[in-house]
Amino acid sequence: MGLSLQKGQSLSLTKQNGDSLTNVRLGLGWDSAVPAKRGFFGGTKTVEIDLDASAILFDARGQHLDTVFFQQLTSKDGSIRHTGDNLTGEGDGDDETLIVNLQSVAPAVAHIVFVITSYSQQTFDMIQNAFCRVIDDSVSGSPEVARYELSESGRYTAMIMSKLSRNGNVWTFQAVGTPTNGRTAIDVRGAAASVI
């Protein structure tokens, strides 16, 4: 289990020997907070929550460079790959995952902001157990490095969960947890730029 971060806290992505992490996976997850509905034949049906995880790339001045989301699954430089859209949020563990090769991120990129948006306009008071975690993909067993558990909910349709920021060759992961509104990552680019 990785370090549990609170909103605003950050962690340098360096190993104990001082080397920087090279390959990380950002896992984002959530569960429905809406009670299951009774089905026609007496069974229960869980309310599906379709959220979308995305990565928005910025330069050091906050200028938008690229976006990885359900309509563009790979960054232009090939360093970030979205593994696919989860339409329900069902199941344990990560609901959506972005794989980042930190060594291949274009030199102009200084910040990668990770957001969750609701294309269907479901609000965050309908979800629970939302989290973002960093996994070290460069070693066997893929240990969790850090985790941020979102504790707040509300009538907003998007959340800026976390960000990776580069200082030279060292990347830092920061828990953000800023609510906003938007159906896709394109809609929340301005809000994402405001947290860098």
Side-chain angles (χ1 to χ4, degrees), residues 30-137:
W30 57 87
D31 295 316
S32 173
V34 179
K37 295 181 179 180
R38 282 241 179 257
F40 185 70
F41 295 106
T44 58
K45 181 179 178 186
T46 304
V47 175
E48 296 177 347
I49 304 292
D50 179 16
L51 300 179
D52 300 304
S54 307
I56 308 172
L57 290 69
F58 296 96
D59 67 14
R61 296 183 317 272
Q63 296 297 309
H64 173 254
L65 299 174
D66 198 2
T67 302
V68 178
F69 66 126
F70 63 87
Q71 291 182 336
Q72 180 186 317
L73 296 177
T74 305
S75 61
K76 293 173 187 168
D77 63 11
S79 66
I80 302 173
R81 185 173 53 87
H82 194 302
T83 61
D85 194 11
N86 178 326
L87 300 176
T88 66
E90 282 189 49
D92 293 333
D94 302 337
D95 291 311
E96 294 196 9
T97 304
L98 293 116
I99 297 169
V100 184
N101 180 331
L102 295 170
Q103 293 179 315
S104 298
V105 175
V109 176
H111 305 280
I112 306 169
V113 180
F114 298 93
V115 301
I116 299 176
T117 56
S118 174
Y119 188 79
S120 59
Q121 299 292 284
Q122 292 168 308
T123 57
F124 273 69
D125 56 354
M126 298 175 70
I127 70 165
Q128 61 187 356
N129 306 323
F131 68 86
C132 178
R133 67 188 190 124
V134 179
I135 299 113
D136 181 358
D137 255 6

Side-chain angles (χ1 to χ4, degrees), residues 12-22 136 138-139:
S12 176
L13 296 183
T14 54
K15 300 178 183 180
Q16 289 181 344
N17 66 4
D19 291 343
S20 295
L21 294 180
T22 55
D136 181 358
S138 62
V139 297

